[in-house]
Amino acid sequence: MSELLERVQGALVGLKMPRALEALDHTLHRLEQGEITAVEAIDALLSEEYSTRETRRIDVALKTARLVPIKTLEGFDFSFQPSLDRERIAALAQLDFIRRAEVVHFLGPPGTGKSHLATALGVAAVKGGRSVYRATLADLVEALSKAEREGRLVDKIRFYARASLLIVDEIGYLPITQGGANLFFQLVNARYEKGAMILTSNRGFAEWGEVFGDPIVATALLDRLLHHAVVVQIEGASYRLRGHADLIPEHVRSNAPISPPPPPRRRGRPPKATNGAASL
């Protein structure tokens, strides 16, 4: 028995299954006591190893995707935002929108939970085995601009286009130059009908011309980002400041909802941009 046990231990070491090796003695003891069958013993060892590896995979993937600190749907207070349809959010967590390469828009005033929900769906996607990457629009444009200056733009766009789900947070919080808007359009165009996206914004679609500094670029972006889209409107007060409502001015608490316009009609290709801008 000792020789056989040594072979099993050696095999587990060779197969790089440290957790199964740790659980081997306890599992064999249960087997000898008749608490489990041989098949159940094998299942227990493999389950221990698989669980450990899956936990490690998820931890690494969450950090790589920039989804730390982790947010979950279970940790979201839906009672504070009654405008949200909880079942609709739960349906998005089934991740069919990723398979369909759709774009999910979370729109609403600052602090209403848009980033929390976007991150939570990203966490669900990682646990479901999808590749995810999250960045603010400002960080994304900065990275694309740097890559363009260094002659690596094609590779950088390919990197961002590779993920099954790209989360672009905080659209509208900081102004974007025309050059940055064109770079973002190139990325959106590369992912169009190929990869899913989640976008969060505190600005209505009618204001995107101002956000991106160019109504033509904004129209071209919306043409693609609303073609296969799910729009979730969040109304209400700041989720983060819910414990300090008495300190918030009334005109801020009664922030008007951001109502999205109908999706733009699809037309022919827009005219080429001038001054070296990307073709829209």
Side-chain angles (χ1 to χ4, degrees):
M1 178 65 179
S2 60
E3 183 179 346
L4 177 59
L5 180 57
E6 288 178 1
R7 286 209 306 270
V8 172
Q9 292 172 332
L12 292 177
V13 171
L15 291 170
K16 298 181 180 180
M17 300 175 66
R19 181 57 193 141
L21 182 62
E22 290 177 5
L24 180 60
D25 288 343
H26 177 67
T27 303
L28 289 177
H29 176 73
R30 294 183 63 200
L31 180 62
E32 291 169 354
Q33 295 298 313
E35 298 178 11
I36 56 177
T37 65
V39 173
E40 288 172 334
I42 295 172
D43 176 66
L45 290 174
L46 294 178
S47 295
E48 287 281 354
E49 185 66 34
Y50 178 79
S51 177
T52 300
R53 292 191 182 192
E54 187 66 2
T55 299
R56 189 184 305 120
R57 178 194 70 80
I58 291 173
D59 288 344
V60 172
L62 289 174
K63 292 177 182 177
T64 303
R66 302 177 68 186
L67 293 171
V68 178
I70 297 172
K71 305 291 184 181
T72 65
L73 293 182
E74 291 77 14
F76 188 84
D77 186 1
F78 283 91
S79 64
F80 188 77
Q81 299 296 4
S83 66
L84 274 173
D85 185 341
R86 187 168 189 164
E87 292 185 0
R88 190 183 189 196
I89 303 301
L92 289 173
Q94 298 301 310
L95 308 179
D96 287 339
F97 78 95
I98 296 180
R99 176 180 54 81
R100 294 191 293 261
E102 294 176 341
V103 180
V104 177
H105 298 265
F106 287 113
L107 303 179
T112 49
K114 303 181 299 296
S115 295
H116 185 133
L117 291 173
T119 301
L121 290 177
V123 170
V126 165
K127 291 181 177 179
R130 270 64 164 205
S131 57
V132 180
Y133 192 83
R134 175 193 170 275
T136 65
L137 176 62
D139 287 344
L140 202 62
V141 168
E142 181 180 353
L144 290 171
S145 298
K146 180 180 179 181
E148 184 180 41
R149 291 193 302 270
E150 298 174 352
R152 302 181 294 104
L153 182 59
V154 173
D155 290 338
K156 198 65 174 179
I157 289 178
R158 187 179 295 119
F159 168 78
Y160 288 132
R162 189 180 304 135
S164 299
L165 172 63
L166 177 64
I167 301 174
V168 183
D169 207 1
E170 300 181 359
I171 295 176
Y173 286 81
L174 296 173
I176 303 297
T177 64
Q178 184 180 30
N182 276 282
L183 291 172
F184 182 57
F185 171 81
Q186 291 182 57
L187 172 57
V188 169
N189 198 47
R191 292 189 63 88
Y192 176 58
E193 296 188 324
K194 298 175 184 175
M197 298 179 69
I198 297 178
L199 282 68
T200 73
S201 179
N202 67 330
R203 308 285 289 273
F205 296 132
E207 300 176 84
W208 276 34
E210 177 184 346
V211 171
F212 288 96
D214 188 329
I216 297 178
V217 176
T219 299
L221 281 168
L222 290 172
D223 185 55
R224 288 152 178 80
L225 292 174
L226 290 176
H227 185 208
H228 306 289
V230 177
V231 179
V232 179
Q233 174 68 52
I234 307 177
E235 303 172 9
S238 172
Y239 182 81
R240 288 187 290 270
L241 299 178
R242 60 193 182 282
H244 308 282
D246 56 326
L247 302 179
I248 306 173
E250 176 60 31
H251 74 278
V252 175
R253 275 183 276 161
S254 58
N255 217 329
I258 303 173
S259 302
R265 292 180 300 171
R266 295 188 61 76
R267 309 180 182 89
R269 294 181 62 85
K272 292 185 178 180
T274 58
N275 299 326
S279 175
L280 304 183

